[in-house]
Amino acid sequence: MNLLQGITAILSKDLQIELRSRYAINTVLAFVGASLLLVLFALNAEQLPKSAQSALVWIIILFAALSSLSRSFVMETDKRTFDLLRLHSRAIDVFLGKLCFNYLFTLSVNCVTFITYIFLLGISIADSSAFLLVLTVGTAGLSGVATMLGAIVSQADRKGAIFSVLSIPLLFPLILILVQLTKVALIEDFSQHYLNDFWALVGYTGTTITAGILLFDYIWEE
């Protein structure tokens, strides 16, 4: 119960801050909207094959995430409230609370992005349940990496540049898996071969979240 209360307190704090400022959500939605229009009109995305359409939408989501997901930890160091968290919270509560906030934020943005993308391109989804499953698990993987790296770079000087440099190599295999699974969900049902890719996605997500929890203990003690 104490763990749940601690996570809820951190999540509630971050949600209230974001709802008051709306800085991250406005920035990300503006980026996503501009990117979708650019893809639609400049690249004629509706004429591209399904694999290219799947890749484009996840690339947009990737760069939208890079512009905002490190902010939850960076904000604590910029406002000098990180030490205050140390006094009143445990490491596991802070990390999981930030992870839940990043997950909810990213899932909301991803849903808006995919709904708009599918509507603009007139894409039909062949397997809706598989598509939703890939979206939810893929968002968890993306949030896990971003939360872990956000905690690491929050103590550095040039936070934005370091976050982007560290994130892309770690997120590259995740994006490749998500592109493949999204393409399959859009055009056909999952087969045994693609179920293996899905379990690879689950393994990647679980590994990154576990690694983040373990690494955050060392950051917390510094």
Side-chain angles (χ1 to χ4, degrees):
M1 181 60 69
N2 289 333
L3 176 63
L4 183 59
Q5 289 175 345
I7 294 172
T8 303
I10 299 297
L11 173 60
S12 177
K13 176 187 74 71
D14 284 356
L15 284 174
Q16 289 176 14
I17 292 173
E18 179 56 35
L19 290 175
R20 281 200 301 265
S21 66
R22 297 180 184 176
Y23 172 82
I25 190 67
N26 290 336
T27 301
V28 171
L29 290 180
F31 175 85
V32 168
S35 300
L36 289 175
L37 291 176
L38 180 63
V39 165
L40 181 65
F41 293 110
L43 299 179
N44 293 323
E46 68 276 4
Q47 299 178 5
L48 295 175
K50 295 294 184 182
S51 57
Q53 292 177 346
S54 302
L56 283 173
V57 68
W58 280 110
I59 289 172
I60 292 171
I61 288 172
L62 170 62
F63 284 100
L66 293 181
S67 68
S68 62
L69 286 186
S70 65
R71 186 171 179 269
S72 60
F73 274 111
V74 171
M75 178 180 60
E76 303 291 353
T77 55
D78 288 345
K79 294 186 176 180
R80 300 181 180 179
T81 56
F82 203 88
D83 291 335
L84 189 62
L85 283 178
R86 286 194 179 101
L87 291 175
H88 296 282
S89 304
R90 299 177 302 172
I92 186 67
D93 297 341
V94 173
F95 182 83
L96 291 179
K98 298 285 188 182
L99 176 62
C100 290
F101 170 77
N102 281 340
Y103 178 76
L104 292 176
F105 178 84
T106 308
L107 184 62
S108 301
V109 172
N110 288 357
C111 288
V112 172
T113 303
F114 267 103
I115 290 172
T116 307
Y117 190 74
I118 290 171
F119 174 76
L120 290 176
L121 270 64
I123 299 173
S124 58
I125 301 175
D127 193 335
S128 300
S129 59
F131 176 78
L132 292 175
L133 194 58
V134 170
L135 180 62
T136 53
V137 178
T139 300
L142 182 61
S143 303
V145 173
T147 306
M148 174 180 66
L149 293 181
I152 294 172
V153 305
S154 64
Q155 308 301 318
D157 292 331
R158 298 181 178 179
K159 301 175 179 61
I162 296 175
F163 181 76
S164 298
V165 168
L166 293 178
S167 296
I168 292 178
L170 287 177
L171 291 173
F172 184 73
L174 174 64
I175 296 300
L176 289 180
I177 296 173
L178 288 173
V179 168
Q180 180 65 30
L181 291 176
T182 302
K183 182 192 71 172
V184 173
L186 292 177
I187 63 176
E188 58 186 280
D189 294 335
F190 272 29
S191 64
Q192 184 63 38
H193 171 72
Y194 296 112
L195 281 176
N196 293 333
D197 289 340
F198 175 75
W199 288 118
L201 175 63
V202 173
Y204 179 96
T205 301
T207 300
T208 53
I209 292 175
T210 303
I213 293 173
L214 297 176
L215 288 173
F216 189 68
D217 285 334
Y218 295 99
I219 299 172
W220 191 251
E221 295 170 1
E222 290 294 331

